[in-house]
């Protein structure tokens, strides 16, 4: 098996503390609060006389959260709306691989008393370099998949912009993960969300109730945001409150081309490998209903493979009680050919010949001599002919036939007497 894993991460380390606007392709737009609104401008820049809030700060470590530079909520009064967007560029860009099996969006978020906060992957539909509609708020038509927090709710953004809500979970710095099975629901995908409270002991992954196996409305033929290959940036929206923070954004593509040997033959020993998958805790292989013991390493060795393993092979990768990754492919174990050699006659006298032949395969290799499916042999002593036959699948089997060589009889003749007179007699025996 062969797995392609592409991990793309943005941890804010390229940012200087203070204003995010203008750094690393980030743009800030929004109204700071109800008493000092920032109006929109033609080019979606902060107008003269207004200042963007300092939202890049040095976060304090907390449990499994290592700390570092994070993106902070603007922290203004009610009615404020901080909106930053970052379009892909040379410093950091992500993309969803064509024909990927899974894509995983993961980030650390400091849960605070905020009205709302969202992280979306964006699609710049109008090509203006950002994801705004009025230079103050995000363009809803340019928001792709993502996760958000609105008061007591969590919100899962589907590819078409519709939202599925569930009760909010998490406390303090929490890591959230959205796992999308891109092959599910006839290509529309299936999304599941889990979380891990970083300051808990132990910090364990848990599913978010109500946000499991959600049809993600993906359309790989769409020219818009519904096609994940079109996503080309990210959008962070932060409303009033001042406590929320965002860090360690990552996007993981997993494309598993489970390649079984072109020929797997009955009785062989083979090893199946898949690359190490991030966050995996176990790998479990099932062959046509027979599940083998799970491994902690991404490989498995099979000995004396039976024909009964033919059928659907499923690989299940468990990821810390979060959504399992599953692949199913057809696995075929070809039976060995039935190689049937014969000799006619099977017993000969020394000096005579016999015809040795075989059937049941496509090509043959003989020992100690011979060729093809039939040949003439003149052994001088009893000989066993071994033949290995290989069929069209490349599978082989070995069998043998023995030709018995009987010695010629030793004939003794005599006459008594050996000399007689004309007209006389003698006794001849053998």
């Amino acid at each position: 098996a062969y797995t392609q894993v592409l991990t793309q991460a943005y941890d804010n380390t390229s940012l200087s503390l203070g204003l995010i606007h203008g750094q690393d392709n980030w743009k800030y737009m929004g109204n700071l609060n109800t008493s000092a609104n920032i109006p929109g401008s033609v080019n979606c820049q902060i107008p003269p006389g207004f200042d963007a809030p300092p939202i890049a700060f040095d976060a304090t470590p907390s449990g499994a959260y290592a700390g570092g530079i994070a993106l902070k909520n603007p922290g203004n009064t009610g009615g404020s709306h901080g909106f930053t967007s970052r379009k892909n560029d040379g410093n950091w860009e992500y993309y969803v691989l064509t024909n990927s099996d899974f894509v995983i969006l993961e980030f650390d978020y400091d849960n605070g008393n905020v009205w709302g906060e969202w992280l979306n992957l964006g699609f710049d539909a109008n090509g203006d370099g950002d994801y705004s509609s009025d230079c103050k708020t995000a363009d809803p038509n340019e928001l792709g998949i993502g996760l958000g927090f609105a008061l007591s709710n969590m919100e899962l953004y589907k590819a078409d912009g519709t939202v599925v809500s569930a009760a909010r979970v998490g406390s303090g710095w929490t890591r959230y993960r959205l796992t999308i099975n891109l092959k599910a629901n006839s290509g529309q995908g299936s999304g599941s969300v889990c979380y891990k409270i970083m300051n808990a002991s132990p910090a364990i992954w848990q599913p978010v109730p109500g946000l499991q196996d959600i049809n993600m409305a993906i359309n790989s033929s769409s020219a818009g945001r519904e096609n994940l290959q079109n996503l080309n940036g990210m959008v962070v929206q932060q409303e009033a409150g001042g406590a929320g923070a965002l860090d360690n954004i990552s996007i993981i593509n997993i494309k598993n081309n489970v390649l079984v040997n072109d020929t797997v033959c009955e009785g062989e020993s083979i090893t199946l490998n898949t690359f190490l998958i991030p966050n995996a805790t176990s790998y479990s292989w099932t062959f046509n209903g027979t599940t083998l013991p799970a491994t902690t390493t991404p490989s498995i060795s099979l000995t004396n493979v039976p024909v009964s393993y033919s059928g659907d092979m499923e690989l299940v990768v468990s990821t810390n009680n979060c959504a399992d990754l599953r692949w199913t492919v057809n696995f075929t174990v070809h039976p060995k050919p039935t190689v049937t050699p014969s000799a006619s006659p099977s017993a000969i006298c020394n000096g005579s010949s016999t015809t040795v032949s075989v059937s049941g395969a496509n090509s043959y290799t003989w020992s100690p001599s011979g060729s093809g499916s039939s040949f003439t042999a003149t052994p001088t002593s009893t000989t066993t002919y071994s033949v290995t036959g290989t069929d069209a699948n490349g599978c082989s089997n070995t069998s043998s036939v023995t030709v018995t060589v009987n010695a010629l009889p030793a004939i003794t003749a005599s006459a008594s007497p050996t000399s007689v007179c004309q007209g006389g007699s003698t006794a001849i025996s053998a």
Side-chain angles (χ1 to χ4, degrees):
Y2 167 76
T3 304
Q4 183 176 1
V5 178
L6 175 65
T7 300
Q8 303 154 100
Y10 189 83
D11 58 7
N12 308 311
T13 55
S14 61
L15 300 177
S16 299
L17 299 180
L19 306 182
I20 189 175
H21 179 71
Q23 291 196 63
D24 199 15
N25 212 32
W26 282 98
K27 290 186 178 182
Y28 178 88
M29 289 155 283
N31 56 315
L32 293 182
N33 55 50
T34 54
S35 61
N37 292 327
I38 291 183
S41 60
V42 174
N43 59 359
C44 286
Q45 300 296 322
I46 301 298
F50 294 92
D51 216 359
I55 57 174
F57 78 106
D58 194 3
T60 303
S62 176
Y65 172 66
I69 297 177
L71 306 182
K72 188 174 179 61
N73 183 287
N76 292 279
T77 60
S80 65
H81 181 89
F83 163 58
T84 51
S85 70
R86 187 190 188 285
K87 194 170 179 182
N88 287 349
D89 64 7
N91 292 331
W92 185 73
E93 68 176 316
Y94 72 84
Y95 46 89
V96 176
L97 295 173
T98 302
N99 294 324
S100 288
D101 296 316
F102 292 89
V103 63
I104 299 171
L105 171 63
E106 191 170 303
F107 58 87
D108 293 337
Y109 175 65
D110 186 9
N111 286 269
N113 181 25
V114 295
W115 288 94
E117 187 151 354
W118 296 266
L119 170 65
N120 290 81
L121 302 185
F123 166 62
D124 186 10
N126 56 16
D128 63 357
D130 61 56
Y131 307 95
S132 174
S133 57
D134 57 6
C135 301
K136 292 189 296 185
T137 56
D139 184 343
N141 295 314
E142 296 187 330
L143 296 180
I145 61 172
L147 287 174
F149 311 90
L151 297 178
S152 60
N153 288 337
M154 286 190 65
E155 296 183 340
L156 169 61
Y157 272 74
K158 299 166 61 172
D160 61 357
T162 59
V163 174
V164 178
S165 297
R168 184 171 177 170
V169 292
S171 175
W173 277 105
T174 303
R175 179 162 293 168
Y176 293 92
R177 181 190 298 165
L178 166 61
T179 301
I180 303 177
N181 180 350
L182 298 171
K183 303 298 185 182
N185 295 318
S186 300
Q188 295 184 69
S190 175
S192 297
V193 183
C194 57
Y195 71 105
K196 176 171 65 174
I197 299 175
M198 307 294 270
N199 208 30
S201 182
I204 58 174
W205 286 103
Q206 303 175 71
V208 176
L211 294 182
Q212 303 298 307
D213 301 317
I214 304 299
N215 187 315
M216 293 298 292
I218 295 168
N219 181 356
S220 59
S221 63
S222 170
R225 62 185 172 184
E226 295 86 356
N227 185 346
L228 301 191
Q229 276 73 49
N230 294 336
L231 300 177
N232 55 10
M234 58 181 173
V235 182
V236 179
Q237 297 184 80
Q238 300 166 312
E239 294 188 359
L246 185 67
D247 198 5
N248 298 320
I249 302 166
S250 69
I251 297 171
I252 302 172
N253 284 268
I254 301 177
K255 183 177 182 179
N256 195 348
N257 299 321
V258 184
L259 301 178
V260 179
N261 306 40
D262 290 340
T263 301
V264 179
C265 300
E266 175 188 7
E268 287 186 341
S269 296
I270 62 172
T271 298
L272 302 178
N273 295 297
T274 183
F275 280 12
L276 189 66
I277 293 178
N279 307 307
T281 54
S282 68
Y283 301 79
S284 179
W285 306 77
T286 297
F287 297 89
N288 195 28
T290 299
T291 301
L292 304 185
T295 65
T296 56
T297 57
S299 66
I300 188 170
S301 295
L302 306 176
T303 59
N304 196 24
V305 181
V307 174
S308 62
Y309 277 14
S310 291
D312 283 339
M313 179 189 72
E314 183 181 51
L315 168 61
V316 178
V317 181
S318 296
T319 55
N320 306 94
N321 294 322
C322 202
D324 289 342
L325 310 182
R326 295 175 178 271
W327 288 269
T328 300
V329 297
N330 187 262
F331 183 83
T332 302
V333 180
H334 297 287
K336 293 179 178 180
T338 301
V339 179
T340 308
S342 63
S344 181
S346 59
I348 60 173
C349 295
N350 193 0
S352 299
S353 298
T354 186
T355 299
V356 179
S357 58
V358 66
S359 62
N362 292 59
S363 62
Y364 305 94
T365 301
W366 293 88
S367 177
S369 62
S371 62
S373 61
S374 180
F375 63 94
T376 299
T378 309
T380 59
S381 61
T382 297
T383 302
T384 297
Y385 293 90
S386 178
V387 60
T388 298
T390 303
D391 63 15
N393 296 314
C395 298
S396 60
N397 203 358
T398 299
S399 188
S400 62
V401 62
T402 298
V403 176
T404 301
V405 177
N406 296 312
L408 295 175
I411 304 299
T412 302
S414 62
S416 180
T418 58
S419 177
V420 296
C421 294
Q422 184 179 9
S425 299
T426 183
I428 299 173
S429 60

